[in-house]
Amino acid sequence: MAYETIKYEVDDQILTITLNRPDKLNAFNGTMQQELIDAFDAADRNDNVRAIVVTGAGRGFCAGADLSSGANTFDRDARRGPVKRLASGAVDYSDPMVRDGGGQVTLRIFKCLKPVIAAVNGPAVGIGVTMQLAMDIRIASEAARFGFVFSQRGIVPEAASSWFLPRIVGISQALEWCYSGRVFPAQEALAGRLVSKVVPPDELLPTARALAKEFAAKTAPVSVALIRQMMWRMLGADDPMEAHKVDSRGIYARGRSEDVKEGVVSFLEKRPAQFKNKVSTDMPDYFPWWTEREYK
């Protein structure tokens, strides 16, 4: 697929999305926002994609927002024209033009039906790190650097990171990194549980791809899609009964599926399973079990 700011490459059922503005350390702009959303849309539609690896071209993962607009970089009115106003003259914050572009990307990744692995090859600051938070697993090169630099730019964390980051690393670590806005090395990211592994640069993509292959090799695609959404969405549940409801629906619906019959019989026959159900056509009738939230 042809894109301007990213590469989209499928090989051996693994989609690699490469942020591809190496001359600008893959700085994030409006085009990259739209192309990333489109790439995840395409991945969900493609049953040949079983897992996704996201990395950066050149020596950086993503240097954050493209600051080439200077002082107006984050001024929506200056860059896009005035947003809607209420009769009182106050900003109408329900105007879609107010929406944070990075948040639209992370919300799309959050809804993805395939496992997502970040292979962080170099500096990842601002949106370069917050976009990773909706990914399932982050593996860092020894050359990676991370920074939640918003306080040093006079802005606030974006990309729904105030929801994601404390759930991943805990509230104290999240606040320490966001209060200071400092850039920190991969080993600190590992100690703070932001990443699960740090590897030499030449081992980064092979490590990520090996993990992606493990996710795809012996598993049922529909089960993996359901597991991803079950785990992420239960992070916000107010009682374990909510998990029990969804688990029960899943066990009932999947228990009657051809995939489960194949999974059991192949185990008994000591042979590899051949799962036939597809994410594009065979998600169970209770899916989705949540009501989509609207921006308003």
Side-chain angles (χ1 to χ4, degrees), residues 11-290:
D11 179 53
D12 199 19
Q13 295 190 305
I14 300 169
L15 164 61
T16 301
I17 297 174
T18 306
L19 309 182
N20 191 34
R21 302 182 74 205
D23 56 322
K24 296 184 179 296
L25 285 178
N26 305 316
F28 183 88
N29 61 13
T31 302
M32 184 178 288
Q33 171 196 331
Q34 295 302 321
E35 290 185 348
L36 282 170
I37 292 170
D38 185 80
F40 277 91
D41 286 345
D44 273 352
R45 292 192 300 265
N46 185 353
D47 290 314
N48 190 45
V49 171
R50 295 292 314 279
I52 302 168
V53 173
V54 182
T55 194
R59 64 185 183 88
F61 181 83
C62 174
D66 189 331
L67 302 180
S68 60
S69 296
N72 290 331
T73 295
F74 298 106
D75 187 335
R76 294 293 177 84
D77 287 351
R79 294 184 60 197
R80 302 181 183 177
V83 301
K84 293 179 182 177
R85 298 273 173 170
L86 303 173
S88 65
V91 173
D92 180 357
Y93 284 103
S94 68
D95 182 357
M97 292 295 290
V98 176
R99 292 188 65 182
D100 162 45
Q104 293 178 61
V105 171
T106 57
L107 289 174
R108 180 61 191 86
I109 298 172
F110 177 76
K111 295 175 183 177
C112 186
L113 300 177
K114 315 294 172 74
V116 186
I117 301 167
V120 189
N121 56 303
V125 301
I127 181 61
V129 63
T130 55
M131 76 165 69
Q132 299 175 32
L133 301 179
M135 301 177 194
D136 304 312
I137 295 160
R138 288 157 295 283
I139 300 171
S141 159
E142 293 169 343
R145 298 291 183 271
F146 301 85
F148 298 90
V149 298
F150 310 100
S151 63
Q152 294 191 10
R153 303 291 180 268
I155 200 167
V156 297
E158 37 59 275
S161 56
S162 58
W163 191 91
F164 286 104
L165 185 59
R167 285 168 168 80
I168 294 169
V169 305
I171 187 66
S172 295
Q173 182 66 85
L175 287 173
E176 178 190 330
W177 283 337
C178 290
Y179 283 159
S180 70
R182 63 185 175 82
V183 176
F184 52 91
Q187 286 297 335
E188 183 174 338
L190 179 64
R193 301 176 69 180
L194 179 61
V195 303
S196 60
K197 189 176 295 185
V198 177
V199 298
D202 61 348
E203 296 179 16
L204 178 64
L205 281 177
T207 300
R209 287 186 61 85
L211 189 58
K213 288 180 180 179
E214 184 178 347
F215 293 163
K218 300 179 181 180
T219 60
V222 171
S223 293
V224 170
L226 290 169
I227 289 167
R228 186 176 198 273
Q229 290 302 310
M230 289 165 70
M231 293 291 181
W232 274 112
R233 292 183 184 276
M234 284 304 115
L235 287 176
D238 63 352
D239 191 280
M241 177 56 77
E242 297 308 310
H244 178 55
K245 292 176 187 176
V246 175
D247 296 351
S248 297
R249 288 160 172 75
I251 293 295
Y252 177 81
R254 293 297 288 158
R256 301 169 64 241
S257 70
E258 292 302 315
D259 270 0
V260 170
K261 295 173 185 176
E262 170 64 10
V264 172
V265 171
S266 65
F267 174 78
L268 295 174
E269 294 179 350
K270 295 181 172 55
R271 61 172 176 79
Q274 301 294 322
F275 295 113
K276 301 292 181 62
N277 289 165
K278 298 178 179 180
V279 171
S280 61
T281 56
D282 299 314
M283 296 296 283
D285 58 3
Y286 70 90
F287 178 88
W289 59 87
W290 61 89

